[in-house]
Amino acid sequence: MTSQDLEMKDLPTPSNSVSTPAPSTLHHLKEIASIIETGSYSKEVRRIARAIRLTIALRRKLTASIISSFLDHVLVPGSEAHSKLSSYLPKEDDHEMEVDAATSAIQTPPKHLLPELEIYCYLLVLLFLIDQKRYNEAKACSSASIVWVKNVNRRTVDVIASRLYFYYSYSYELTGHLAEIRGNLLALHRIATLRHDELGQETLLNLLLRNYLHYNLYDQAEKLRSKAPRFEAHSNQQFCRYLFYLGKIRTIQLEYTDAKDSLLQAARKAPVAARGFRIQCNKWAVIVRLLLGEIPERTVFMQKGMEKALRPYFELTNAVRIGDLELFRNIADKFSTTFHTDGTHNLIVRLRHNVIRTGLRNISISYSRISLADVAKKLRLNSANPVADAESIVSKAIRDGAIDATLDHSNGWMVSKESGDIYSTNEPQLAFNSRIAFCLNMHNEAVRALRFPPNTHKEKESAEKRRERQQQEQELAKHIAEEDDDDF
């Protein structure tokens, strides 16, 4: 065997197969259009939902030329919808346009346009305009789409319409005109209720709550929430948003226990990819737990991708845990901009009383007897009369049951009582009861979330089994009749 033979063996064998190019974005959009068309004719909402999911996956690949080619393919050129949507798109050069070689040569004849496809074109253009930061055009496009959606009453349109409602509100929020559409959102919610569009009701209720909370109108938000019809959630994302808004309302109304449950549930149910939403839920949940007198675990602040965003709240929690009023003031001043942006600054002002109470509890545990002047010094009360303030703070803490002590007014002392055995009280029982209730609630929600095929418990009876069952029933009836004759 020569060296040339060895070299020939090392060479790869030529392949007869030709590598096919990857499908273009325009090709994918046409496939999505066919899915929507099939779902519309068969009235299968799940196909429309699948088309929306595929569109979100293609969102970053959309360009003006691709959308323009898709509009030419789906809509009738020169029609009102085609002209209006094309006017929102920026003009591009011809050499930048993406051409689908398989279908560009063959021009398909115009079909009867489905409402679902026309609304989908509005959604596609709206997504592109928002991603390109063309917010004024997006606002005009969303307003036009909402006018069109109001006149269509089809259940297959509901999935696309709910997305349009969201981006309609989002485009107005980005331009700072969110209050202008509040009346229109209320009208849309009324229309969705009359049409039994439950997904639309969910989406519009959340948008209205967001609209009210954006302007700190908590009373109006609670009135709407309490009177709006409630039903089983159809969308996990909308249910998470509802729980978050409910938690914010409950927090402002001083109902901290219910607020904590709603916020923690929203953070757990939220998708892993929704990091920004989960960060907001955790920020509010941390503040609510601090207001309840709880100290969040360190793992809450060490979640992946959230360490930097939750850093101010971690330092705030540390100040509350220590009970250092001076450190609490410094942290509140240091991160005041962050707290104002998050909308939690007013809640942090409420925490001052909790910091003082925590510091007082630590003092009562450490000292069996201490003067009120030393209490004021340790709490760092910088008021005109710190001793008098310390006396009022201590007396209120004793009355509320925060500390187990007595106040000696004549000598100016706080005398702490010996701490008893906590297991002789009802606190362990209450702690176990809350954990058991939490586990049972999670189990019930998991059972409700399970999906079963319809009538799985009912087996379809074949003709042979039916004849056999009827024969057994007749024999049993004859046997019973014979026994009755024997008795007589």
Side-chain angles (χ1 to χ4, degrees):
M1 186 179 291
T2 61
S3 59
Q4 291 182 354
D5 295 333
L6 292 172
E7 291 175 0
M8 289 296 292
K9 284 186 177 182
D10 294 335
L11 293 175
T13 57
S15 176
N16 295 327
S17 61
V18 179
S19 60
T20 58
S24 63
T25 306
L26 181 59
H27 179 72
H28 286 303
L29 287 176
K30 290 178 180 179
E31 288 181 348
I32 292 172
S34 65
I35 293 173
I36 294 175
E37 190 175 357
T38 306
S40 175
Y41 285 125
S42 61
K43 296 182 179 179
E44 292 181 281
V45 180
R46 61 181 182 85
R47 290 183 180 272
I48 311 293
R50 177 168 173 260
I52 298 297
R53 289 195 299 270
L54 293 173
T55 305
I56 300 301
L58 291 174
R59 182 172 178 174
R60 297 185 182 277
K61 300 179 182 179
L62 296 177
T63 62
S65 58
I66 293 175
I67 297 177
S68 180
S69 302
F70 178 72
L71 294 179
D72 293 338
H73 172 74
V74 175
L75 302 176
V76 179
S79 63
E80 182 183 356
H82 184 276
S83 303
K84 186 178 292 185
L85 290 173
S86 299
S87 65
Y88 298 127
L89 297 174
K91 305 300 179 183
E92 292 191 358
D93 297 334
D94 294 337
H95 62 82
E96 293 180 354
M97 294 185 63
E98 180 180 349
V99 180
D100 191 355
T103 58
S104 60
I106 304 172
Q107 187 69 27
T108 57
K111 304 176 185 178
H112 174 65
L113 184 61
L114 295 170
E116 290 83 359
L117 281 176
E118 187 166 346
I119 296 177
Y120 176 75
C121 291
Y122 274 102
L123 177 62
L124 203 63
V125 173
L126 186 56
L127 286 173
F128 172 76
L129 293 174
I130 291 176
D131 290 342
Q132 297 296 317
K133 297 182 172 52
R134 304 170 68 92
Y135 299 136
N136 291 323
E137 291 89 342
K139 191 169 73 169
C141 179
S142 62
S143 300
S145 67
I146 293 301
V147 172
W148 206 93
V149 166
K150 282 182 178 179
N151 301 322
V152 180
N153 184 11
R154 292 164 67 110
R155 298 288 69 80
T156 48
V157 174
D158 294 345
V159 179
I160 309 176
S162 64
R163 291 294 180 125
L164 278 177
Y165 297 149
F166 173 78
Y167 290 112
Y168 171 58
S169 176
Y170 186 52
S171 60
Y172 273 82
E173 183 178 352
L174 290 172
T175 53
H177 301 96
L178 196 56
E180 295 179 6
I181 61 170
R182 191 178 302 153
N184 206 5
L185 290 177
L186 287 167
L188 288 170
H189 185 269
R190 183 169 60 251
I191 292 171
T193 305
L194 294 174
R195 293 176 176 175
H196 302 285
D197 176 12
E198 295 184 350
L199 181 58
Q201 291 179 62
E202 275 185 334
T203 306
L204 289 164
L205 176 60
N206 286 333
L207 293 176
L208 284 165
L209 292 177
R210 182 181 182 87
N211 198 309
Y212 284 124
L213 298 182
H214 182 78
Y215 295 99
N216 296 324
L217 302 174
Y218 288 92
D219 291 338
Q220 289 90 325
E222 173 57 21
K223 287 178 183 177
L224 172 67
R225 188 209 63 80
S226 61
K227 294 180 180 179
R230 292 298 303 159
F231 36 78
E232 186 179 355
H234 288 262
S235 170
N236 181 59
Q237 289 85 350
Q238 297 300 330
F239 186 51
C240 291
R241 290 190 182 104
Y242 175 78
L243 289 173
F244 176 61
Y245 298 142
L246 178 61
K248 293 178 73 172
I249 294 171
R250 291 285 181 260
T251 304
I252 299 299
Q253 293 177 337
L254 306 180
E255 299 177 11
Y256 297 135
T257 305
D258 294 339
K260 172 192 164 186
D261 293 340
S262 298
L263 291 168
L264 291 178
Q265 192 176 3
R268 284 195 304 270
K269 285 180 172 290
V272 180
R275 185 181 301 170
F277 179 79
R278 289 169 56 227
I279 287 173
Q280 287 297 320
C281 290
N282 280 290
K283 286 178 178 179
W284 279 76
V286 166
I287 297 295
V288 170
R289 293 183 67 179
L290 291 175
L291 288 168
L292 282 169
E294 302 176 6
I295 302 297
E297 300 82 6
R298 195 182 185 91
T299 53
V300 173
F301 307 98
M302 298 295 117
Q303 298 181 62
K304 185 178 180 181
M306 300 186 188
E307 299 91 341
K308 185 178 180 181
L310 295 178
R311 185 69 188 177
Y313 295 87
F314 174 71
E315 296 188 15
L316 188 72
T317 302
N318 192 37
V320 175
R321 181 181 62 84
I322 297 171
D324 191 337
L325 192 59
E326 187 67 26
L327 179 61
F328 174 78
R329 288 197 202 99
N330 294 335
I331 292 172
D333 293 338
K334 179 181 177 182
F335 298 107
S336 61
T337 306
T338 304
F339 296 144
H340 276 291
T341 304
D342 295 337
T344 56
H345 185 266
N346 292 335
L347 301 177
I348 290 167
V349 173
R350 297 182 192 177
L351 277 176
R352 181 179 180 275
H353 179 67
N354 292 58
V355 176
I356 294 174
R357 178 171 291 189
T358 304
L360 191 59
R361 191 182 299 117
N362 294 336
I363 292 172
S364 68
I365 293 171
S366 303
Y367 297 91
S368 59
R369 187 178 69 180
I370 186 172
S371 66
L372 293 175
D374 290 338
V375 170
K377 185 178 179 181
K378 288 185 176 295
L379 291 178
R380 301 185 183 183
L381 300 176
N382 53 358
S383 58
N385 193 352
V387 177
D389 289 346
E391 186 175 358
S392 64
I393 290 169
V394 170
S395 59
K396 188 176 187 305
I398 293 172
R399 186 189 64 188
D400 295 344
I403 58 173
D404 191 8
T406 57
L407 198 58
D408 189 348
H409 294 280
S410 59
N411 296 320
W413 291 337
M414 183 185 76
V415 181
S416 302
K417 296 180 181 178
E418 293 185 5
S419 59
D421 184 13
I422 192 173
Y423 289 99
S424 62
T425 64
N426 290 331
E427 288 193 19
Q429 179 185 355
L430 296 174
F432 279 119
N433 184 49
S434 65
R435 294 177 184 178
I436 291 169
F438 170 76
C439 293
L440 288 175
N441 185 32
M442 181 180 291
H443 174 266
N444 293 335
E445 288 181 1
V447 171
R448 280 197 295 268
L450 293 175
R451 295 183 179 180
F452 299 96
N455 299 327
T456 51
H457 60 287
K458 298 179 182 178
E459 292 186 4
K460 291 185 178 179
E461 195 176 27
S462 62
E464 185 179 351
K465 286 186 178 181
R466 192 185 305 112
R467 284 196 300 270
E468 186 178 346
R469 177 177 57 80
Q470 291 175 353
Q471 185 178 359
Q472 289 177 355
E473 290 176 356
Q474 290 174 0
E475 291 178 357
L476 181 61
K478 185 190 256 188
H479 183 63
I480 292 173
E482 289 175 356
E483 285 183 352
D484 290 343
D485 292 340
D486 292 343
D487 291 339
F488 286 112

